[in-house]
Amino acid sequence: MENYYQKDIETMSKEGLREIQNERLVKQVRHAYKNVPYYQKIMDEKGVSPDDIKSVDDLHKLPFLTKSDLRDAYPYGLLAKPLSECVRIQSTSGTTGKRVVVFYTQHDVDVWEQCCARAIMAVGGTKDDVCQVCYGYGLFTGGAGLHGGSHKVGSLTLPMSSGNTERQIQFMRDLGSTILCCTPSYAAYIGESLHEMGLSADDIKLKAGIFGAEPWTEEMRRDIEKTLGIKAYDIYGLTEMCGPGVSFECSAQTGMHINEDYFIPEIIDPDTGEVLPEGAKGELVFTTLDKEAFPLIRYRTRDICVLKREKCSCGRTLIKMTKPMGRSDDMLIIRGVNVFPSQIETVLLEQGYSPNYRIEVDRENNNDTLDIYVELNSEQFSDTVKEIAGKEKQLAAAMKTMLGINPKMHLVPPKSIARSEGKAVRVVDKRKLHD
């Protein structure tokens, strides 16, 4: 296998990785305790000191950190370096409350870009590629991370940001873009727009796409691959950790390799906090190992997934995480049933419908209601009202089989659901407005 970014690390033995993790964890915990009063307080409250942490085996002794802790500490409460040594901030979108602001030293930026470079290399990227970055730039980490990673690889970098889709396609064609980096919903939109312009995958040179920042299904992957004529790869990250590049997919496309020399993953029971064995499904928790400005120790991501260490055809030995299977905090509970939006998307794509949909949850007479609006393509929309009603009934039955509850389906005209150039807003839960 060619094109390793750092073969010595990425194919290292489990024992070799553990040695790096042990050394860096001890150092990271001491750094956080010494320089961040917040960490000192929560560690003291739990009765644990840096001297108690001698290896990864001691990780469970440390307290968890949550997003609400980060919000409470806004803006400087978790800063572990003087501002004079920080060169950048990035921030979360703040859709669920106060923003989280993350600080970076130059070393932190270099490590982050190195992780993104590994992701680009893993999809076959080299200095001969043209990397079109359509993630948002600015405070959002997507654009900055893949842009820096592309530079590290030496690829020609197109800092497009999102939006102006016709221009995206023009540049893609004129400059011969080979790697596309954006959200999966925007990749699907680019593919849709390409075909509306009378073009096809044969008119562009794309070979690979690196898509993340929102949930997407295997069905959506296959759809994007077909429309754009590429292999579509997943990338994972959180602004709080650094941004994209915490983990990435390789040629095997069977889960994302975690950059274990920089991040230690754990899976816990989201209700009890108990650490679960490898292969168990639970909430993903991360500890940073080499962060100077904003170290995070046992950060609860709220993402539900599984960790597996298995031999990979790409040769990498880094542990893999599955695509997140939902979140422990955005899971919808409707009439007592746990529902994940990804389940709904799976049914739609399996039944041949568009991935443009909106889920509305409400409450009438103390009963939850679930309405799913799905956009038809122009061919489907030419059906009679009676045919469309029949399709709605058929789709509702398929949804009931998957979800265990009966939704009300609404098949709506083409282009009637607002497109997203960033993270797609799929769920509107009106119950929160009433409660």
Side-chain angles (χ1 to χ4, degrees), residues 185-240:
S185 55
Y186 192 47
Y189 184 46
I190 288 174
E192 191 181 309
S193 302
L194 184 78
H195 287 259
E196 281 176 2
M197 290 165 71
L199 302 169
S200 73
D202 295 336
D203 296 298
I204 54 175
K205 291 185 178 176
L206 285 183
K207 64 178 185 182
I210 299 176
F211 307 131
E214 65 185 13
W216 55 307
T217 57
E218 286 303 311
E219 290 81 8
M220 191 170 182
R221 185 209 298 264
R222 287 193 288 274
D223 194 47
I224 291 169
E225 288 186 332
K226 185 179 171 187
T227 311
L228 292 175
I230 60 172
K231 278 194 84 174
Y233 299 90
D234 217 340
I235 190 167
Y236 176 87
L238 305 101
T239 301
E240 300 91 315

Side-chain angles (χ1 to χ4, degrees), residues 53-112:
I53 309 303
K54 296 178 173 62
S55 75
V56 176
D57 294 333
D58 298 317
L59 196 56
H60 69 278
K61 297 175 184 175
L62 292 161
F64 291 115
L65 200 70
T66 65
K67 190 165 245 183
S68 63
D69 290 321
L70 269 59
R71 291 198 187 106
D72 291 346
Y74 173 91
Y76 297 125
L78 285 170
L79 189 58
K81 282 283 186 181
L83 270 183
S84 59
E85 291 183 38
C86 297
V87 298
R88 187 181 316 165
I89 69 147
Q90 303 281 168
S91 176
T92 58
S93 55
T95 49
T96 53
K98 193 190 283 186
R99 284 182 177 274
V100 170
V101 173
V102 180
F103 298 84
Y104 302 72
T105 62
Q106 187 55 52
H107 172 75
D108 294 335
V109 172
D110 289 341
V111 165
W112 175 26

Side-chain angles (χ1 to χ4, degrees), residues 26-41 43 50 76-83 85 105 291-295 297:
V26 169
K27 191 176 167 188
Q28 186 85 115
V29 172
R30 289 187 185 282
H31 171 60
Y33 188 85
K34 180 184 173 188
N35 296 295
V36 184
Y38 198 93
Y39 275 118
Q40 204 173 96
K41 176 175 169 282
M43 282 173 67
Y76 297 125
L78 285 170
L79 189 58
K81 282 283 186 181
L83 270 183
E85 291 183 38
T105 62
K291 286 271 277 184
E292 292 183 338
F294 205 77
I297 297 180

Side-chain angles (χ1 to χ4, degrees), residues 242-282:
C242 64
V246 172
S247 66
F248 57 87
E249 251 183 345
C250 63
S251 54
Q253 292 179 300
T254 53
M256 292 172 278
H257 290 286
I258 294 170
N259 283 309
E260 287 185 276
D261 50 331
Y262 294 120
F263 310 100
I264 298 178
E266 299 172 272
I267 293 289
I268 64 164
D269 180 314
D271 298 322
T272 65
E274 176 199 354
V275 179
L276 301 175
E278 190 179 304
K281 180 178 170 182

Side-chain angles (χ1 to χ4, degrees), residues 158-173:
L158 275 55
M160 301 294 292
S161 196
S162 59
N164 202 332
T165 306
E166 281 194 19
R167 187 180 66 186
Q168 299 276 10
I169 292 169
Q170 183 193 335
F171 269 73
M172 192 179 285
R173 296 184 73 204

Side-chain angles (χ1 to χ4, degrees), residues 274-400:
E274 176 199 354
V275 179
L276 301 175
E278 190 179 304
K281 180 178 170 182
E283 182 184 339
L284 183 61
V285 171
F286 272 118
T287 298
T288 61
L289 289 174
D290 196 19
K291 286 271 277 184
E292 292 183 338
F294 205 77
L296 287 189
I297 297 180
R298 300 199 84 199
Y299 181 67
R300 294 186 61 162
T301 68
R302 297 293 178 188
D303 283 324
I304 304 293
C305 72
V306 174
L307 295 178
K308 288 180 185 171
R309 192 180 298 279
E310 55 194 10
K311 193 172 172 62
C312 186
S313 58
C314 79
R316 288 174 181 81
T317 51
L318 300 169
I319 199 166
K320 280 183 182 176
M321 59 179 275
T322 60
K323 185 188 283 289
M325 302 162 178
R327 289 173 59 82
S328 61
D329 61 352
D330 78 351
M331 176 177 72
L332 294 164
I333 301 178
I334 303 169
R335 300 173 217 154
V337 176
N338 295 345
V339 175
F340 288 104
S342 57
Q343 295 173 302
I344 291 169
E345 182 169 307
T346 296
V347 173
L348 293 179
L349 289 161
E350 279 176 352
Q351 299 284 326
Y353 291 92
S354 133
N356 295 310
Y357 64 94
R358 192 173 76 251
I359 301 162
E360 284 188 8
V361 188
D362 209 338
R363 187 165 286 143
E364 286 174 14
N365 303 323
N366 296 318
N367 281 322
D368 290 338
T369 61
L370 173 62
D371 288 77
I372 304 171
Y373 296 81
V374 185
E375 195 175 275
L376 294 170
N377 62 35
S378 50
E379 192 178 310
Q380 292 166 326
F381 191 61
S382 64
D383 290 347
T384 64
V385 172
K386 189 179 177 184
E387 284 171 328
I388 288 174
K391 285 182 174 178
E392 285 174 343
K393 195 174 174 184
Q394 190 180 19
L395 197 48
M399 287 291 175
K400 189 178 182 190

